[in-house]
Amino acid sequence: MTKKKKIGLIGFFGWGNFGDELFVDVYRQWLEPEFELKVLNDLTKKPYFSRPVPEVLEEVDALVIGGGDLVMPWTVSDLYWKKEYLEKPVHICGVGVPTWKGTAAPAVQYMQEFLSHPNIRFFNARDKESAAWISKHLKPRIEPTNTADIVFALDLPPAPKPQGAPILGVVTRDRADKPDDLTNVIALCNKAQALGYSIRHIILGSGAVGERDVARAKDLDIPGKEVIYSDSTMDLCKAIGECTALTSMKFHGTVVAAAYGVPSFVLSATDKSRNLMRMMERPDLLSSIADKHLPDRFSQYTPVIPRATRTLLRRRAEATLTALAEALRSA
């Protein structure tokens, strides 16, 4: 039998952040039948590797970097973009560009040099806005394709709606170890309860991230709320799919909700959230925790995400992963 190629995965993997752990799930679903996968870093703090990086790289045949907001115009991560990686064929998949913090010339120059290397073999961005920014400012050797967030290609567990009251799911998060003002989110929950909804507080994190998020869960003071906290990404996905509507501070809460057809009100209108809502033609779902009109946006008549939209997003994400697998075969 032919020996499987060994692929090193590079990203924000191991910290327990919901979306990033879903990326690993996606790679395992789409690549593991053919390739042997390994998350490259074995530490979750600097220097991220317990052994010299060249020694670690000797154990893999190619690398996959992504997804997530890894192309940061103001800084260069010590984990994502090490020049030592360029000794191997490098495949960049599902990355985005956050622009809210501006740019810094040293970071841009570093990324220009990194992305011009001949060992960059595959380049895909999460959305057209990220691809356009990369092409304009970084001038990579390979023009990035753009499709949809690769989590849309993940097989999710069935999530039939439970008997009884409809569910409004709520996703909060810890930010800088201090409480957010959730006044408007609480008002939204109170309105939903008055309309006959039950409230499900979903903690979208595990490990270190989950511990911080669950510690902040007490800030959402809703009597009788249900709290879902699990180390299983699939259990968390199912908890989202069972909801009638969601309101989320986490991007991949909204992505998974959309994949199930559940409308999700965005509470952190970052670049990636705006770009996704543009892709789905649902600007009505963009809001923030500071929006005093947030309760007014919610209604029992909020339209679901149509099946045609969900099918399109999945097909686009599947096309990315099919192309990635082909590039890895050729690496």
Side-chain angles (χ1 to χ4, degrees):
M1 294 179 64
T2 303
K3 188 177 180 180
K4 286 185 176 181
K5 284 185 177 179
K6 296 182 179 180
I7 309 301
L9 303 179
I10 299 166
F12 190 64
F13 305 142
W15 280 262
N17 190 51
F18 180 63
D20 295 288
E21 300 310 318
L22 287 178
F23 292 140
V24 178
D25 290 342
V26 171
Y27 290 137
R28 295 203 187 287
Q29 176 185 320
W30 280 85
L31 301 179
E32 215 162 41
E34 185 173 353
F35 305 98
E36 183 178 332
L37 304 183
K38 174 186 179 180
V39 173
L40 212 62
N41 64 290
D42 62 338
L43 303 176
T44 54
K45 59 183 178 180
K46 292 183 179 182
Y48 303 118
F49 298 92
S50 60
R51 296 180 292 149
V53 173
E55 182 181 317
V56 176
L57 291 173
E58 288 177 2
E59 299 172 358
V60 297
D61 299 303
L63 302 174
V64 174
I65 302 176
D69 279 344
L70 306 193
V71 182
M72 295 174 283
W74 63 88
T75 189
V76 177
S77 164
D78 292 336
L79 172 58
Y80 309 143
W81 308 108
K82 288 183 179 295
K83 287 188 176 177
E84 294 97 320
Y85 297 160
L86 295 168
E87 295 298 316
K88 298 287 181 175
V90 172
H91 305 74
I92 303 169
C93 184
V95 297
V97 182
T99 60
W100 57 273
K101 207 171 180 178
T103 61
V108 171
Q109 182 178 350
Y110 183 99
M111 291 303 297
Q112 286 175 339
E113 294 173 0
F114 189 99
L115 297 175
S116 66
H117 195 278
N119 258 353
I120 302 295
R121 305 293 181 86
F122 178 88
F123 201 167
N124 166 262
R126 177 180 51 221
D127 47 58
K128 71 178 184 181
E129 291 85 355
S130 294
W133 192 98
I134 290 166
S135 295
K136 178 179 179 180
H137 296 280
L138 303 182
K139 300 176 175 57
R141 188 180 75 86
I142 297 176
E143 281 292 306
T145 60
N146 69 91
T147 47
D149 192 285
I150 58 174
V151 170
F152 282 112
L154 184 62
D155 291 340
L156 299 174
K161 298 294 186 275
Q163 295 291 321
I167 301 169
L168 172 64
V170 183
V171 177
T172 59
R173 70 184 310 159
D174 171 72
R175 296 196 292 187
D177 294 319
K178 57 185 180 182
D180 283 298
D181 183 354
L182 299 179
T183 301
N184 299 313
V185 181
I186 291 171
L188 167 62
C189 293
N190 290 338
K191 177 182 179 179
Q193 285 182 320
L195 292 171
Y197 283 71
S198 63
I199 305 302
R200 173 177 286 181
H201 194 175
I202 307 172
I203 311 300
L204 286 188
S206 59
V209 170
E211 289 173 7
R212 293 196 303 270
D213 287 348
V214 80
R216 287 263 67 90
K218 65 181 185 298
D219 300 336
L220 188 73
D221 186 13
I222 303 294
K225 73 177 183 181
E226 175 190 15
V227 178
I228 302 290
Y229 181 37
S230 173
D231 287 334
S232 165
T233 53
M234 292 300 101
D235 286 349
L236 295 173
C237 288
K238 183 174 183 291
I240 292 171
E242 290 173 345
C243 295
T244 301
L246 188 78
T247 184
S248 179
M249 291 175 67
K250 292 199 174 188
F251 175 68
H252 278 94
T254 294
V255 169
V256 169
Y260 277 114
V262 175
S264 174
F265 291 91
V266 173
L267 296 181
S268 182
T270 55
D271 292 320
K272 55 190 173 185
S273 295
R274 293 180 181 277
N275 297 344
L276 175 60
M277 291 304 149
R278 183 269 312 158
M279 199 181 295
M280 297 197 303
E281 299 182 328
R282 290 302 298 270
D284 58 299
L285 297 176
L286 282 171
S287 187
S288 78
I289 60 172
D291 181 4
K292 64 181 180 181
H293 299 294
L294 177 61
D296 301 327
R297 295 175 179 272
F298 175 76
S299 162
Q300 63 267 53
Y301 306 112
T302 301
V304 301
I305 307 302
R307 182 174 296 276
T309 299
R310 294 151 54 195
T311 299
L312 176 62
L313 291 168
R314 181 170 181 107
R315 286 178 177 171
R316 295 185 72 188
E318 288 177 340
T320 295
L321 291 154
T322 299
L324 173 62
E326 179 58 35
L328 289 170
R329 290 185 200 105
S330 304

